[in-house]
Amino acid sequence: MYRSQADAPPYSAVAPERLGLNLRYRKLAARSEIHSVGLSADARDPIAYATFNGGQMDQVWLDMFEVNSQRGLSKVPGAHAAFAPTASTTNSGARVATLRDWTVQLGPGVDYNHATSLLIRDLRSGKSVLEIKGACADPVAWSPDGRAIAAAEPRRNRIGVWDTRTGALLGRVVSHIDKVAFAAFTPDTNLVTASRDGTLRLTNPATSKTIAKLEIEGTGAGNPRALAVAGDSTIVSVWGSTVHIWLPRANHLTSYTLASVRRSEGVPLTISPDGKYMLCWTEDGFDIMDILSGATVAERQGGALVTAAAFSADSSVVLLGRMDGFLEVWDISQKA
């Protein structure tokens, strides 16, 4: 296991850079490709997760650990997790939402009926706090205050919103005609959804009414790649190879193609929660782009293909997953 930058494969920086990147450590998490990663909103003692296939290749595992100490917390079957925001931390501790498959035996010799529900757990103890059976798939998104959670419903490309204390259904997004790939709440708890039907919607889930809609044009319309909503309600999304920066209340849209601003090909993996940065994997490594200008502000070459990435809430840390099963924690700093 590589535990320091000195022990890691040789990563090379490409100058000039506006962000500093320092490899804190890397660890072997799996013997297979890392599918997804995430970081909790706790800046002082963050927790991370990674998903990957286990010994039985059809079984996906969800592994959680403390970022600072690398101490493992839990490893359970599951393909998706979403950490609650810091604002939702209660006296009982921070929470995480996970999708869990469950089965029911219909009778002797009768096949199992597979289904999925959303479990809200205490982050450190792993104990279940609430189960929402109406939620069946990703995307999963917490409201900024942690009082509501959104997830896909079983049919009709709908997204449901539930109370995270009682499990009561609070509302829905019902206007998409194809699968919703991403969802994120705005600061005023409206819901932004990006669907393969080529629309980006801002919806009041309590009334299910669309507040604003952006229709994506071109070949990327059916391929939403990433979504983030900044604290000022700016909506950043990537469709195919096009970046859209949308301010629906101001009726303002800025768009550009990645090919028009990049020196080499890059595939978007994640957008920072504040909407400032986007991390892309490349055939040579990975880089970080400034969303507003499209400029590449940091780059590292080397290592196995990057397959998953997540920024911390304050964009000071990025967690990477690679095809060879390694996880890497990189510290990000502003250069003078």
Side-chain angles (χ1 to χ4, degrees):
M1 181 183 300
Y2 299 99
R3 295 186 180 276
S4 69
Q5 189 171 5
D7 298 326
Y11 296 120
S12 59
V14 179
E17 293 187 325
R18 287 162 45 189
L19 292 181
L21 284 173
N22 180 62
L23 178 61
R24 190 190 307 180
Y25 65 82
R26 69 194 308 259
K27 57 179 285 187
L28 183 63
R31 299 294 180 183
S32 60
E33 174 182 345
I34 303 297
H35 296 313
S36 63
V37 294
L39 285 167
S40 70
D42 186 348
R44 185 177 60 181
D45 191 17
I47 292 172
Y49 79 81
T51 64
F52 47 83
N53 285 88
Q56 297 179 342
M57 292 306 292
D58 60 343
Q59 177 64 67
V60 180
W61 291 91
L62 175 68
D63 188 11
M64 294 194 187
F65 62 95
E66 294 177 345
V67 172
N68 294 337
S69 68
Q70 303 185 46
R71 183 174 70 91
L73 295 177
S74 64
K75 183 178 179 181
V76 297
H80 189 88
F83 292 114
T86 303
S88 71
T89 302
T90 63
N91 291 333
S92 60
R95 296 172 294 169
V96 62
T98 63
L99 290 169
R100 186 192 72 174
D101 292 327
W102 56 279
T103 57
V104 176
Q105 190 169 19
L106 302 178
V110 180
D111 290 340
Y112 286 89
N113 177 32
H114 294 269
T116 304
S117 60
L118 185 71
L119 287 180
I120 296 178
R121 306 173 182 267
D122 180 89
L123 191 51
R124 295 192 176 275
S125 71
K127 293 182 179 179
S128 297
V129 178
L130 181 69
E131 181 176 10
I132 301 174
K133 292 187 176 181
C136 72
D138 59 356
V140 177
W142 290 81
S143 65
D145 60 8
R147 296 180 179 180
I149 195 166
E153 291 190 287
R155 61 184 69 86
R156 297 181 182 177
N157 306 303
R158 292 176 177 174
I159 299 293
V161 177
W162 290 268
D163 188 303
T164 58
R165 295 161 296 181
T166 67
L169 183 67
L170 300 176
R172 287 187 172 100
V173 176
V174 300
S175 298
H176 288 293
I177 59 174
D178 205 339
K179 176 178 171 57
V180 175
F182 298 96
F185 281 92
T186 62
D188 55 1
T189 67
N190 291 317
L191 192 63
V192 181
T193 48
S195 168
R196 292 178 184 169
D197 64 12
T199 63
L200 183 64
R201 291 180 181 270
L202 176 63
T203 304
N204 179 344
T207 63
S208 297
K209 292 186 179 297
T210 300
I211 299 171
K213 180 178 70 170
L214 180 64
E215 295 187 359
I216 308 300
E217 299 178 352
T219 57
N223 186 21
R225 304 297 301 268
L227 173 69
V229 178
D232 62 358
S233 295
T234 298
I235 300 169
V236 180
S237 61
V238 183
W239 300 73
S241 59
T242 303
V243 177
H244 298 287
I245 305 168
W246 186 33
L247 289 76
R249 298 194 185 279
N251 195 27
H252 181 77
L253 175 68
T254 300
S255 303
Y256 59 84
T257 64
L258 293 175
S260 69
V261 297
R262 293 184 56 86
R263 299 185 301 270
S264 61
E265 184 179 10
V267 179
L269 280 178
T270 188
I271 300 172
S272 62
D274 57 11
K276 291 183 178 180
Y277 303 114
M278 178 167 67
L279 187 143
C280 300
W281 69 261
T282 69
E283 292 182 353
D284 297 320
F286 72 95
D287 59 43
I288 297 175
M289 295 175 57
D290 177 84
I291 289 285
L292 191 59
S293 68
T296 298
V297 293
E299 182 176 356
R300 289 294 182 274
Q301 296 182 350
L305 183 71
V306 176
T307 54
F311 287 94
S312 62
D314 60 359
S315 300
S316 66
V317 176
V318 66
L319 173 66
L320 300 184
R322 293 188 182 262
M323 184 170 281
D324 58 4
F326 273 90
L327 295 172
E328 297 178 354
V329 176
W330 291 80
D331 292 306
I332 302 173
S333 59
Q334 292 285 342
K335 287 192 173 182

